[in-house]
Amino acid sequence: MASSSSLHFFYIFLNLFFFLLLIEKISLISARGLAGEHHVIDVKSLLPSSSCAVPDKGTRPSKLKLVHRHGPCSSLARQDKPSHVELLHQDQSRVDSINRRAATNAAGLNPVGDSLSARVPANTGAALGTGNYIVNIGLGTPSKSFSVVFDTGSDLTWTQCVPCDNCYTQKDPLYDPTQSSTFTNISCNSNYCTQLDQSSCSSTSTCLYQVQYGDNSQTQGSLIQDTLTFSSDTIPNFRYGCGHDNSGLFGKSDGLLGLGREPVSIISQTAQLYGKVFSYCLPSKSSNAGYLALGSSATGVQYTPMLTNPNLPSFYFLKLVAISVGGQRLALSPTVFSAPGTLLDSGTVISRLPPTAYSALRSSFRQYMTNYSTAPALSILDTCYDFTNYQTVKVPAIALNFDGGVTANLDFTGILYVASISQACLAFAGNNDASDVVIIGNVQQRRFNVVYDVGNLKIGFGANGCS
């Protein structure tokens, strides 16, 4: 009887052991599931540091350090730094100019050239805004370093030049072509000149360019050739603008690096060297550094088809098909995104969604955030929270789903725009009209390796590209 009783208790103990093991496994699975549905964030980590966190990884040929132009890693920091309201206002100006260009071109009008010069300003570039990133490039022989804004929505690279009739104040000395042994002018009869959106002839038959951006910033001067130094790579006979008359929202930067799709862009000019491939990673905060690279380098990248909008041929489009919040896909028709088209843009700060899509995203996000006190709206951002009395906060995960089964799980710094601990806002905004272009802005691109393979018409996203 004793042995039978012992055996009975043994089986009870064994069943209890397996039951507890099963409960633990279920709890573990639940915990893993929850981990994919939200981010637990240390509130102190939401704000950038006052000092620059330099990346440990060394640079390689054709790869540049990329920094936010208003952060401590930038040599331009603390010079004319805009307020958050000013920055978001300028961001809206860029979005408005993109939509104006799309509507103008869709109406069968060419926004550049003589035919429209009497009726509308020549807008050959989107408004620049102020939330841009900068890289350092070298120009001339011997090479001189210049800090330039990089922009996937612009084509012509340019810098302010001597002689200067009208120049804004910049940090570095102006580029002086006469001090370079490799500088040459370009004839106005050259194909290089006629490829420009707007060009004319000087009195000495050299090529003159003009670019007016959508916010009335503008640059005009001579189209020239000289040697470009990109990291440790030397690129001879690079064509760019030598700006003699420049004004607008360029801050203290020395000019602009155009990464668009037109023949004059650096991507088209270096096609033989780098195969029309470039990539970048935008850092999580303005106190960290990312990179800009020419040529194929990033690994672990998922690709979605690159699309072309005939009304905005310089820009990079893709197909957004869905958005998920907290692991749940929003109940939206895919045509909500495909009808206006989706633009991936380095120069827009905050992503813009169709009104119905933004309303659904906002509603879902607010349901997850009911435990937190709301804060006043910040310009275009209408869903804000006060985290003052919290050490950690829990924010729902947001994922963007693109054509081809590509899912971009946003970093938590791509979900919130943090003006202060007492005003942290959902970093999306709604468009005014369902026909307005959908835009994936640079906040949502943070920490991704973003790869543009222009030759093979595909755009890639890879996680953890930079800190």
Side-chain angles (χ1 to χ4, degrees):
M1 289 291 291
S3 62
S4 174
S5 176
S6 298
L7 196 62
H8 178 70
F9 281 116
F10 172 75
Y11 280 120
I12 291 175
F13 173 77
L14 198 63
N15 286 334
L16 183 61
F17 173 77
F18 281 117
F19 176 73
L20 291 172
L21 196 65
L22 181 63
I23 291 294
E24 183 181 8
K25 190 172 182 181
I26 290 170
S27 300
L28 186 63
I29 292 169
S30 299
R32 283 175 181 165
L34 285 171
E37 293 171 9
H38 64 253
H39 300 276
V40 178
I41 305 165
D42 181 349
V43 169
K44 291 179 183 175
S45 72
L46 290 173
L47 293 175
S49 168
S50 59
S51 59
C52 178
V54 179
D56 295 328
K57 298 175 183 177
T59 57
R60 61 167 179 79
S62 67
K63 190 171 188 177
L64 297 176
K65 184 172 80 169
L66 174 153
V67 299
H68 196 283
R69 76 194 244 194
H70 300 304
C73 295
S74 166
S75 59
L76 313 179
R78 301 176 193 87
Q79 301 185 49
D80 301 330
K81 184 177 180 179
S83 69
H84 290 288
V85 170
E86 288 170 332
L87 188 148
L88 293 169
H89 176 74
Q90 293 300 333
D91 196 46
Q92 188 60 47
S93 293
R94 181 180 177 96
V95 171
D96 290 344
S97 74
I98 288 170
N99 283 308
R100 279 197 304 270
R101 289 179 67 194
T104 301
N105 291 5
L109 298 175
N110 182 349
V112 298
D114 295 337
S115 60
L116 274 180
S117 59
R119 287 180 280 157
V120 297
N123 294 325
T124 54
L128 289 170
T130 57
N132 294 296
Y133 293 83
I134 60 169
V135 293
N136 286 333
I137 59 172
L139 294 171
T141 306
S143 179
K144 300 288 179 65
S145 181
F146 297 93
S147 296
V148 291
V149 172
F150 99 98
D151 186 11
T152 57
S154 298
D155 295 296
L156 180 71
T157 296
W158 61 268
T159 188
Q160 296 199 112
C161 272
V162 174
C164 205
D165 302 323
N166 175 36
C167 281
Y168 58 87
T169 303
Q170 67 178 46
K171 172 189 161 284
D172 299 306
L174 297 181
Y175 168 75
D176 185 349
T178 64
Q179 300 301 306
S180 172
S181 62
T182 45
F183 148 74
T184 55
N185 278 305
I186 293 174
S187 164
C188 60
N189 296 321
S190 163
N191 288 338
Y192 298 141
C193 193
T194 56
Q195 284 173 345
L196 297 176
D197 287 331
Q198 274 196 307
S199 62
S200 59
C201 270
S202 72
S203 58
T204 56
S205 298
T206 58
C207 182
L208 300 177
Y209 77 90
Q210 180 180 5
V211 180
Q212 183 157 348
Y213 300 93
D215 54 15
N216 292 322
S217 297
Q218 63 90 36
T219 174
Q220 52 186 308
S222 303
L223 184 70
I224 65 169
Q225 282 188 164
D226 208 339
T227 297
L228 167 69
T229 303
F230 193 97
S231 186
S232 57
D233 287 2
T234 300
I235 302 164
N237 303 318
F238 180 69
R239 301 180 299 282
Y240 61 100
C242 181
H244 305 304
D245 182 350
N246 320 287
S247 59
L249 297 172
F250 304 114
K252 294 290 194 297
S253 66
D254 303 332
L256 184 141
L257 181 67
L259 292 162
R261 301 169 73 174
E262 295 291 300
V264 75
S265 80
I266 187 174
I267 306 309
S268 299
Q269 287 195 54
T270 60
Q272 295 298 316
L273 284 172
Y274 305 114
K276 284 193 171 183
V277 177
F278 71 97
S279 61
Y280 57 73
C281 180
L282 307 180
S284 60
K285 314 175 185 179
S286 61
S287 54
N288 293 354
Y291 76 85
L292 169 66
L294 297 179
S296 182
S297 62
T299 56
V301 173
Q302 290 184 305
Y303 286 94
T304 187
M306 178 186 294
L307 306 178
T308 303
N309 183 329
N311 300 324
L312 297 166
S314 288
F315 287 88
Y316 297 96
F317 280 77
L318 34 58
K319 186 176 181 181
L320 179 65
V321 295
I323 299 176
S324 298
V325 180
Q328 299 296 313
R329 186 172 286 205
L330 298 177
L332 296 167
S333 165
T335 57
V336 166
F337 305 112
S338 59
T342 301
L343 163 64
L344 185 67
D345 187 32
S346 71
T348 299
V349 180
I350 301 296
S351 290
R352 299 307 202 280
L353 300 176
T356 54
Y358 176 66
S359 178
L361 171 69
R362 178 179 62 187
S363 175
S364 179
F365 187 83
R366 285 177 174 174
Q367 287 175 8
Y368 278 95
M369 300 294 285
T370 52
N371 290 338
Y372 302 105
S373 300
T374 58
L378 178 65
S379 181
I380 57 173
L381 306 179
D382 63 9
T383 300
C384 303
Y385 298 91
D386 183 352
F387 297 147
T388 302
N389 297 318
Y390 294 89
Q391 290 186 326
T392 61
V393 292
K394 190 159 71 171
V395 175
I398 295 180
L400 305 179
N401 305 105
F402 298 102
D403 190 24
V406 174
T407 298
N409 295 300
L410 303 186
D411 188 73
F412 76 83
T413 61
I415 296 172
L416 293 173
Y417 183 94
V418 183
S420 66
I421 296 302
S422 62
Q423 195 175 30
C425 306
L426 175 63
F428 288 82
N431 278 328
N432 294 324
D433 192 271
S435 64
D436 290 343
V437 175
V438 182
I439 304 175
I440 308 300
N442 61 43
V443 167
Q444 281 64 44
Q445 297 176 50
R446 288 175 179 172
R447 297 200 68 217
F448 286 106
N449 281 320
V450 185
V451 183
Y452 295 72
D453 187 339
V454 185
N456 293 305
L457 293 176
K458 58 183 184 178
I459 296 174
F461 296 91
N464 302 317
C466 55
S467 60

